[in-house]
Amino acid sequence: MHRIQELAAGLLERIEQGRTLTEALGNLQRNHELTPAERGALQDIAYGSLRRLGQLRFVLRQLVPRPLPAAEIERLLLVALYQLLHTRAADYAVVDQAVNAAGKLAGGKFKGLVNGVLRNALRQREQLLAAAQRDNEARYNHPRWWLQRLRAAYPAQWADILDESNRHPPMTLRVNARHGDAATYVAELAAQGMAARALDSHAVLLEVPCNVRELPGFADGRVSVQDWGAQQAARWLDVQAGMRVLDACAAPGGKSGHLLELADIRLTALDVDASRLTRVEENLARLGLAANVVAADAAQPGKWWDGQLFDRILADVPCSASGVVRRHPDIKWLRRPADFAALGQQQGSLSDALWPLLAAGGKMLYAPCSIMPEENRQQVDAFLTRHPDAQLLQDEQLLPTPEHDGFYYALLAKRP
């Protein structure tokens, strides 16, 4: 099993190099033959280590005050500390596996150090965890600059936001409106011994996450997995039969599918990443629905737009993804303070490029999965200044809760 520790430590290295966890996991699994159990263990350790990375780094520095000259040993220790402090793995097995793994790294020079550090961690477990609670980056497992930004934006809620962002995300379902409703599906789940509750007429929250293959009707398109916060996008757009609708950043297709479930619309599902559009097509095929799927840059409509105006536009713009950190714990360690200026410019350019494509009287939904004001209301205020024909109908900031992730929605109408 030390192989899993080595692989998990390698994933931390990829994150330090700027790769996303999703990308790094995908590449690793393609290059290594892993059993289902190994894949599950690797994913659990990788996600868990990144969720707790602030604390793990703090604890490691208490045990080894100066960074080691071999970064790969530091990463191995972080992974092993996560297992010792936060999993049910047998302590002796974790230490033994880490020592064996250390024997293959840096010429084996650090085997004794790894053994000593981990045994000290076990002896001092309670003191180390108590000390970590007194350090904000370790306590909240987010970079200090992130804490400062949230404190400034949400002085009364910042701590709750961070705690929620460190929890495991809920598994929420969207019942296909063409095939049923939440109450009926909850009863169907109960008949199979699966506890769940309805959040609204078509959203269902599972008490315990499961494999999608266990969900009745999933293969037939009767239900999809989609966060409840994300499900609000299609409802806000209020699509009606016959409308021309653009999903400007469609991959992986959850919102496209939802829009098509709600009304017989003519949908263009656009995304700049052609490889990700495969997921859109697969999702729509499972649902038995169809759209015009186009690989193109939404910010350059001259290269793909046919000149016919849209009645509705969903602008799920690129953003920091700060509202979905619990699903992607690498985000908080990948982002840098300077990223927001570049993201803001991209958000503004994309919104400006899409606005001329909207018919008079039509609506555009600005919808980043962010909780940072500079990506949300500040962007909308700037957009309204640039476009006098735009009217803000309503907006809402959703913060992470046990029932949904963090999103921002601003519904803009084009004056006739």
Side-chain angles (χ1 to χ4, degrees), residues 212-295:
V212 293
R213 290 191 292 271
E214 299 174 36
L215 296 172
F218 180 83
D220 302 325
R222 290 199 293 121
V223 66
S224 298
V225 178
Q226 187 183 34
D227 182 79
W228 192 30
Q231 291 185 38
Q232 305 312 307
R235 301 190 183 284
W236 275 60
L237 265 182
D238 184 32
V239 292
Q240 305 295 326
M243 283 184 172
R244 279 176 49 83
V245 180
L246 171 65
D247 186 350
C249 304
K255 296 182 180 72
S256 289
H258 196 187
L259 288 166
L260 288 163
E261 290 170 5
L262 294 178
D264 292 322
I265 57 176
R266 292 172 289 163
L267 178 71
T268 296
L270 188 79
D271 203 274
V272 69
D273 189 340
S275 63
R276 296 186 72 216
L277 284 173
T278 301
R279 286 281 307 281
V280 177
E281 292 169 334
E282 290 172 351
N283 282 326
L284 294 181
R286 183 180 59 82
L287 295 169
L289 301 168
N292 177 31
V293 179
V294 179

Side-chain angles (χ1 to χ4, degrees), residues 123-242:
R123 283 192 290 269
Q124 303 173 40
R125 186 194 311 245
E126 299 308 317
Q127 302 97 299
L128 289 167
L129 291 175
Q133 286 293 102
R134 297 190 290 271
D135 178 273
N136 272 353
E137 185 164 312
R139 159 70 177 84
Y140 292 108
N141 286 292
H142 282 68
R144 294 190 195 283
W145 67 265
W146 193 302
L147 304 183
Q148 292 165 359
R149 287 201 175 200
L150 281 188
R151 270 184 126 151
Y154 305 101
Q157 301 154 294
W158 67 274
D160 291 338
I161 294 170
L162 292 166
D163 284 340
E164 199 60 54
S165 295
N166 287 326
R167 295 194 175 100
H168 287 271
M171 184 171 179
T172 311
L173 311 177
R174 183 188 78 240
V175 179
N176 189 334
R178 295 174 181 260
H179 296 289
D181 58 32
T184 303
Y185 195 75
V186 166
E188 189 173 352
L189 290 171
Q192 297 197 13
M194 302 172 71
R197 61 186 174 92
L199 297 174
D200 62 26
S201 60
H202 290 88
V204 171
L205 179 66
L206 292 179
E207 187 173 299
V208 179
C210 69
N211 190 297
V212 293
R213 290 191 292 271
E214 299 174 36
L215 296 172
F218 180 83
D220 302 325
R222 290 199 293 121
V223 66
S224 298
V225 178
Q226 187 183 34
D227 182 79
W228 192 30
Q231 291 185 38
Q232 305 312 307
R235 301 190 183 284
W236 275 60
L237 265 182
D238 184 32
V239 292
Q240 305 295 326

Side-chain angles (χ1 to χ4, degrees), residues 146 150 153-154 157 160-162 164-165 170 172 199-200 203 226-236 255 258 319-327 365-373 375-377 394-411:
W146 193 302
L150 281 188
Y154 305 101
Q157 301 154 294
D160 291 338
I161 294 170
L162 292 166
E164 199 60 54
S165 295
T172 311
L199 297 174
D200 62 26
Q226 187 183 34
D227 182 79
W228 192 30
Q231 291 185 38
Q232 305 312 307
R235 301 190 183 284
W236 275 60
K255 296 182 180 72
H258 196 187
C319 69
S320 66
S322 52
V324 294
V325 165
R326 59 187 177 187
R327 297 187 191 276
L365 183 65
Y366 178 81
C369 54
S370 173
I371 57 175
M372 298 296 188
E375 298 183 281
N376 298 344
R377 184 56 190 259
Q394 60 177 322
D395 76 327
E396 183 178 10
Q397 177 68 69
L398 297 179
L399 299 175
T401 74
E403 296 177 331
H404 59 69
D405 294 336
F407 290 88
Y408 174 75
Y409 291 121
L411 188 62

Side-chain angles (χ1 to χ4, degrees), residues 8 11-12 21 25 41-51 82 329:
L11 287 174
L12 293 187
L21 180 55
L25 267 172
L42 177 61
Q43 186 163 308
D44 287 344
I45 294 172
Y47 274 83
S49 296
L50 287 166
R51 281 198 179 96
Y82 168 71

Side-chain angles (χ1 to χ4, degrees), residues 27-101:
N27 289 338
L28 188 148
Q29 290 175 354
R30 282 191 292 273
N31 295 328
H32 293 81
E33 291 187 11
L34 301 175
T35 66
E38 287 175 328
R39 283 198 299 273
L42 177 61
Q43 186 163 308
D44 287 344
I45 294 172
Y47 274 83
S49 296
L50 287 166
R51 281 198 179 96
R52 303 278 189 172
L53 191 56
Q55 182 198 68
L56 299 175
R57 285 173 170 169
F58 177 89
V59 167
L60 180 57
R61 287 286 75 86
Q62 305 308 299
L63 297 165
V64 185
R66 294 183 180 178
L68 295 170
E72 62 269 36
I73 296 296
E74 290 245 329
R75 290 187 287 266
L76 176 65
L77 283 167
L78 291 171
V79 166
L81 284 170
Y82 168 71
Q83 291 179 283
L84 290 178
L85 299 176
H86 297 292
T87 75
R88 296 179 180 177
D91 294 342
Y92 73 89
V94 172
V95 175
D96 184 59
Q97 291 158 14
V99 170
N100 287 336

